[in-house]
Amino acid sequence: MTTDMNAPPSAGPSKASTGSDDRRFGLPTATALVIGSVIGTGVFALPSALAVYGPISLVAFVFVTIGAIGLALTFGALSKRVPGSGGPYVYARDAFGDFGGFLNAWSYWITAWAGNAAIVVAWVGYVEVFVNTDHAKLWSIAIALAGLWIPAVVNLSGIRNMAITQIVSTIMKFVPLLFMATVGLLFVKSANFGAFNASGTSVAGAISAASAIALFSYLGIETASVVAGRVRDPERNVARATVLGTLGCAVVYILGTVTVFGTVPNATLQLSTAPFTDSANAIFGGNWAGNTVAIAAVVSGLGALIGWTLIVGEMPMAAAKDRLFPTVFGKTRRGIPVFGIISATVLASALTVVSYTSFEKVFTTLVLLSVFTAVVPYLFSAAAQLYWLLTRGRATVWPHLVRDCGVSAVALVFSFWALAGSGYQAVYYGVFCLLLGVPVYIWLKVGRKEYGELPVAR
């Protein structure tokens, strides 16, 4: 993209240099990145967080899945129209200008490192199946910090190492989950489900609240679009990886959650820190099956953290190259955004420590904060696609236009619905974190001697 300050904001996204072709990856790795980022330890801890609502949360999961597929199709379409790394950031900037792009980059950046804090908290629950079984708080914090910094080191060592570990970890976690989502269904007992709506609230309220938590399990469907500049043949592979990854995750998510709900009594499930382990032990007896699932969850968490640690550097790097993030985020070493990775890991570490020492429900609180800050870029992306279709897409064949508008509308409505279900605490913290970006944006614009979209006259 041109660096002329008089250029209009819709001149197009910057294409970050990603080096030679050996630093790019194809459809299998892009799909593994989506699955690896989506299936972290969140899904392994999610049944416990949803158990307080009862089986009605499965209805919420179906609604969330429909919305997630709509978002996946939207991201796939956007990646073909707006190339380059950055994902939701470049889509919002293309449609709504610098400020819209900045808000998306800022919000998504918060999502990435706050989400890492949530993932590592769930990851600790499965590590503690083997060590620190009495859940001593200081040791839990130490384990969590190790879980954040090991992925940072892997990413700093190079893209090739990240790609290899992502594929291996995706296979190791997907197979046990698929097993639980298929064979595990044979051991489901209806008595374990408990009351259909155990929340004590209305049906609509329970579904909305459960949906906000369930949405966390789908965060990451956009990761292929965020690193599009590193993907070979991105116009083809980014869209395919996004949709294939989302559909694969949807199958194991819904069926796996049904298995856990149907094999672990609801009262026990609400108190569990490793629900899939408890489910496997209930199915097969003893501890060996649960330990196997716990190992898969540990590997899964590391794989997700490795993927998200890459993402947490890519988004601000793309924005920094457009001078919409501090320039230090755009500096790389061997194509790796070192400062972005290290700074985000430091912030995630700090949030993890604060969460363990301040929040009663650590995982749920971090999940809802991450969902709020993630839904903002999702909403802007769906709005950008719908805006383009209604203004520039009219030359498209009418049936296709109606279909695409319908998909974008579903994604947009779903994003608003997810915001509404996040809860007052998450909205408070989320809005506060989001608006902290406004002074940063002012600082960037003043440094460039700009007011609005044009430079200030000298």
Side-chain angles (χ1 to χ4, degrees):
M1 177 175 176
T2 178
T3 56
D4 180 2
M5 287 190 295
N6 290 295
S10 59
S14 60
K15 298 180 182 179
S17 175
T18 55
S20 59
D21 195 59
D22 64 347
R23 292 182 183 174
R24 297 173 180 266
F25 39 80
L27 179 61
T29 303
T31 304
L33 178 62
V34 173
I35 294 176
S37 300
V38 172
I39 301 180
T41 45
V43 64
F44 288 95
L46 207 65
S48 295
L50 293 175
V52 296
Y53 301 101
I56 196 172
S57 58
L58 295 172
V59 178
F61 225 138
V62 172
F63 285 149
V64 168
T65 298
I66 294 171
I69 292 172
L71 283 169
L73 293 170
T74 299
F75 282 121
L78 284 164
S79 69
K80 294 178 181 178
R81 187 170 59 78
V82 188
S85 290
Y89 155 67
V90 294
Y91 307 149
R93 185 168 187 260
D94 178 68
F96 307 118
D98 282 356
F99 189 59
F102 170 80
L103 276 183
N104 275 263
W106 180 263
S107 186
Y108 194 85
W109 179 64
I110 294 172
T111 297
W113 56 260
N116 277 357
I119 291 171
V120 85
V121 167
W123 181 77
V124 167
Y126 280 91
V127 172
E128 290 180 344
V129 170
F130 307 102
V131 298
N132 191 35
T133 53
D134 58 348
H135 308 298
K137 188 172 292 185
L138 287 178
W139 277 111
S140 294
I141 292 173
I143 294 168
L145 294 178
L148 289 170
W149 284 96
I150 290 173
V153 171
V154 171
N155 274 276
L156 292 172
S157 68
I159 292 296
R160 186 181 298 275
N161 292 336
M162 185 285 301
I164 293 172
T165 55
Q166 197 61 250
I167 291 175
V168 172
S169 65
T170 297
I171 293 172
M172 290 183 66
K173 65 187 172 185
F174 195 78
V175 171
L177 279 174
L178 187 61
F179 179 83
M180 292 291 290
T182 52
V183 177
L185 292 173
L186 301 176
F187 298 87
V188 167
K189 296 179 180 178
S190 59
N192 289 323
F193 285 95
F196 180 69
N197 181 5
S199 66
T201 62
S202 66
V203 170
I207 291 176
S208 180
S211 295
I213 297 175
L215 178 59
F216 179 77
S217 61
Y218 283 108
L219 298 189
I221 58 175
E222 72 290 338
T223 48
S225 68
V226 175
V227 297
R230 298 186 185 276
V231 179
R232 287 193 295 270
D233 191 9
E235 291 189 6
R236 178 172 178 264
N237 287 333
V238 169
R240 294 176 66 191
T242 301
V243 174
L244 288 174
T246 302
L247 289 174
C249 293
V251 171
V252 298
Y253 274 177
I254 295 177
L255 297 182
T257 304
V258 170
T259 295
V260 175
F261 270 39
T263 53
V264 181
N266 183 267
T268 303
L269 190 58
Q270 292 187 34
L271 302 175
S272 175
T273 59
F276 271 87
T277 290
D278 293 341
S279 177
N281 287 336
I283 291 172
F284 298 103
N287 294 321
W288 67 268
N291 290 344
T292 301
V293 173
I295 292 172
V298 171
V299 173
S300 173
L302 282 176
L305 287 164
I306 289 170
W308 274 105
T309 302
L310 170 67
I311 297 303
V312 82
E314 289 289 319
M315 175 71 78
M317 181 177 69
K321 290 184 181 298
D322 289 332
R323 300 180 301 166
L324 288 178
F325 240 66
T327 55
V328 67
F329 284 93
K331 296 179 180 178
T332 62
R333 180 171 60 86
R334 293 183 300 163
I336 305 298
V338 176
F339 180 81
I341 289 173
I342 292 177
S343 61
T345 306
V346 169
L347 289 168
S349 299
L351 180 58
T352 300
V353 173
V354 169
S355 299
Y356 269 108
T357 55
S358 303
F359 297 147
E360 181 180 353
K361 295 183 177 180
V362 181
F363 178 71
T364 302
T365 301
L366 290 174
V367 161
L368 292 174
L369 173 61
S370 302
V371 166
F372 178 88
T373 54
V375 168
V376 172
Y378 288 176
L379 192 153
F380 270 87
S381 297
Q385 174 69 352
L386 189 60
Y387 176 45
W388 183 85
L389 287 169
L390 294 175
T391 56
R392 306 266 182 99
R394 293 179 180 177
T396 309
V397 178
W398 268 102
H400 292 173
L401 179 61
V402 172
R403 177 201 62 194
D404 294 343
C405 285
V407 170
S408 300
V410 167
L412 185 64
V413 171
F414 171 71
S415 299
F416 275 111
W417 182 52
L419 281 177
S422 297
Y424 292 111
Q425 186 181 41
V427 171
Y428 171 79
Y429 286 123
V431 170
F432 181 78
C433 290
L434 184 65
L435 294 181
L436 280 177
V438 174
V440 177
Y441 183 76
I442 293 172
W443 170 58
L444 291 169
K445 297 289 278 187
V446 169
R448 291 162 54 181
K449 295 182 172 59
E450 289 183 1
Y451 181 79
E453 299 296 340
L454 298 175
V456 175
R458 296 184 182 181

